[in-house]
Amino acid sequence: MTTVAEKKRTAVAAKQWAEKASRLGTLKNFHIAGVVALGLVNLYLLAHMAFAWRAANSQNAAALADQMVQMRTAEIARQPLEGLDEKLAQATKDADKFYKQRLPFANSEVAGELGALAKKQGVKLTRVQYAYSPVMDGTVGALTEARMDASLSGDYRPLVLFINLLERDKMYFLITGLTLTGQQSGTVGLRLRLTTYLRSPVGTEGSEKSVAGAGEKAADSTSEATAAGGQR
C-alpha cells in the first residue's frame, strides 16, 4: 500500500513539475519572441531614421544650394541699383547739358546753321521744307521734332564735306535720307532729309517759342535758308 501511495505521489509530483516546466518554457518562448519582435522593430526604426537622415541632408543641401542661387541672383540684380540716386542726378545733368548745348530753340537757328555750313563748303542750298511734331508733350523734357527735306547742288567733294560737317556739327542733326537727284557738267544734285529737335528757350534766349507760327511761315523759312545758303 505504501509503495503504491508513494508511486502515486511521485507521479503527481512529476506531472506537476512537467506542467510547471511547460509553463516556464512557454513563458520563455514568449519572452524570446517578444525580444525578437522588439529587435525587429528597433531595426526598422533605425533603418527608417537612417533614410530620413539621408533625405533631410539631401533636402538641406538642395535648399542651401537654392538659397545660394537666390542670394547670387539678388546680388546681381542689386548691382545696377547701387548709387541710383547719383546716377539719376548725373543723367539729368547730362540731359540738360545736351539740350542746352546741342538742341536749337528756334527754327531760325536751324535755317541759319544749315545756311552757314552750306556757304562754308560752297554748296548751293536751293530748297528746305519743314515739318513739325511734338515729342514727349506735356513733360518737363518736351521737344518739337523738326524734319527737313532739303535740295542741294554742288561739286561732289564739297557736298561730301557738307554732309560730314552736318554729322559733326555742334547743333544736333540726324541724317535720315540721302538721294542723288542728278548730275550735269560736274554738278551733283542731292536730296537730303534731316531731323533735329527744338527745345524751349532758356533765360534770355530768343523769343521764338511758337512752333505753330514757324510752321505757318514755312515758305518764309525756306526763303531764309536759301538766302543763307548763297550762291557758289
Side-chain angles (χ1 to χ4, degrees):
M1 294 293 294
T2 303
T3 303
V4 174
E6 290 179 355
K7 287 181 178 180
K8 287 183 178 181
R9 285 196 298 270
T10 302
V12 170
K15 184 178 180 180
Q16 290 176 349
W17 183 85
E19 290 176 355
K20 186 177 181 181
S22 177
R23 288 196 299 270
L24 289 175
T26 302
L27 291 174
K28 184 178 181 180
N29 290 338
F30 283 144
H31 179 72
I32 293 172
V35 170
V36 171
L38 289 174
L40 292 174
V41 171
N42 287 335
L43 286 175
Y44 170 78
L45 291 176
L46 288 173
H48 185 72
M49 289 176 62
F51 283 120
W53 181 78
R54 288 185 60 186
N57 283 345
S58 178
Q59 291 176 358
N60 288 338
L64 181 60
D66 185 59
Q67 289 294 326
M68 292 293 290
V69 170
Q70 291 182 14
M71 288 177 62
R72 182 57 180 166
T73 303
E75 183 180 353
I76 294 174
R78 176 183 56 82
Q79 289 177 356
L81 301 178
E82 292 181 351
L84 184 60
D85 293 342
E86 292 78 4
K87 292 177 181 178
L88 288 175
Q90 185 61 44
T92 301
K93 184 178 179 180
D94 292 342
D96 292 342
K97 183 179 179 180
F98 178 85
Y99 271 42
K100 186 173 182 179
Q101 293 185 354
R102 300 204 60 191
L103 297 185
F105 64 88
N107 184 68
S108 58
E109 280 192 294
V110 180
E113 188 69 10
L114 286 175
L117 294 177
K119 184 177 181 180
K120 183 176 181 180
Q121 294 302 325
V123 172
K124 185 178 180 181
L125 188 61
T126 58
R127 176 188 63 88
V128 182
Q129 292 181 336
Y130 296 86
Y132 304 93
S133 60
V135 178
M136 299 186 297
D137 196 23
T139 66
V140 177
L143 297 171
T144 300
E145 183 182 40
R147 299 181 299 278
M148 293 153 277
D149 190 343
S151 295
L152 305 99
S153 61
D155 292 339
Y156 176 78
R157 179 176 173 78
L159 285 172
V160 172
L161 293 175
F162 171 75
I163 294 172
N164 184 257
L165 283 178
L166 278 176
E167 292 177 331
R168 295 186 295 108
D169 194 59
K170 181 178 180 180
M171 184 177 292
Y172 177 77
F173 288 108
L174 176 64
I175 298 176
T176 58
L178 180 64
T179 306
L180 179 66
T181 59
Q183 183 174 0
Q184 186 177 5
S185 301
T187 300
V188 178
L190 288 180
R191 181 182 178 187
L192 189 63
R193 286 178 289 277
L194 305 167
T195 298
T196 191
Y197 296 89
L198 304 179
R199 59 174 172 83
S200 299
V202 177
T204 58
E205 289 179 335
S207 60
E208 185 179 347
K209 300 180 181 179
S210 174
V211 175
E216 293 172 356
K217 298 179 181 179
D220 294 340
S221 299
T222 302
S223 299
E224 291 173 5
T226 303
Q231 302 292 329
R232 288 187 58 200

